[in-house]
């Protein structure tokens, strides 16, 4: 599997950065969105299916921010994203809808 190098989110293009071992350095965060830099970092030491799940989790964070859903829920953004990610990942994966473009897996 190759994560995409970039991801279009609304009017912005996010760069997808490979960050091996970030989960060990950042208090168990396996991925991170930096909206100011338009970047998504993923810990690439994870198993392939976990990288896909973490990527989707971070993608949902970008959608959450883009849609301004923060004010519409009594949950924190992290709680909302965590609740939505696993079922959405499972549905997309099991139905063959989670497809990443072929890309450079080395870097």
């Amino acid at each position: 599997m190759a994560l995409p190098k970039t991801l279009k989110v609304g009017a912005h293009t996010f760069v997808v950065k490979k960050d091996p071992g970030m989960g060990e350095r950042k208090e168990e965060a396996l991925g991170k969105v930096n909206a100011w830099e338009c970047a998504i970092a993923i810990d690439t030491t994870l198993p392939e299916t976990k990288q896909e799940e973490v990527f989707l989790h971070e993608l949902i964070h970008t959608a959450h921010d883009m849609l301004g859903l923060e004010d519409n829920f009594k949950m924190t953004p992290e709680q909302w994203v965590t609740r939505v990610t696993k079922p959405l990942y499972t549905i997309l994966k099991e139905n063959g809808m989670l497809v990443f473009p072929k890309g450079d897996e080395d870097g």
Side-chain angles (χ1 to χ4, degrees):
M1 179 217 40
L3 294 172
K5 292 180 181 182
T6 60
L7 181 72
K8 185 91 168 138
V9 179
H12 307 288
T13 300
F14 280 67
V15 175
V16 179
K17 299 178 178 181
K18 298 177 181 181
D19 192 348
M22 74 179 291
E24 296 172 7
R25 297 188 310 275
K26 297 183 180 175
E27 300 175 11
E28 298 182 39
L30 304 176
K32 178 129 178 92
V33 172
N34 184 326
W36 293 106
E37 295 180 7
C38 291
I40 299 173
I42 303 292
D43 184 339
T44 52
T45 62
L46 300 170
E48 182 175 300
T49 55
K50 191 65 178 177
Q51 287 182 50
E52 292 171 351
E53 181 183 333
V54 171
F55 177 77
L56 182 58
H57 176 98
E58 300 309 327
L59 175 64
I60 293 170
H61 270 299
T62 65
H64 184 272
D65 293 343
M66 187 174 148
L67 296 172
L69 295 175
E70 233 172 307
D71 298 332
N72 299 328
F73 293 95
K74 294 185 180 185
M75 294 177 271
T76 66
E78 189 64 27
Q79 290 169 329
W80 182 85
V81 169
T82 297
R83 285 188 174 102
V84 170
T85 300
K86 289 184 181 186
L88 185 56
Y89 175 78
T90 300
I91 292 166
L92 294 173
K93 186 74 174 177
E94 289 182 349
N95 288 286
M97 294 185 281
L98 191 66
V99 179
F100 292 98
K102 299 287 182 197
D104 178 20
E105 294 184 9
D106 294 332

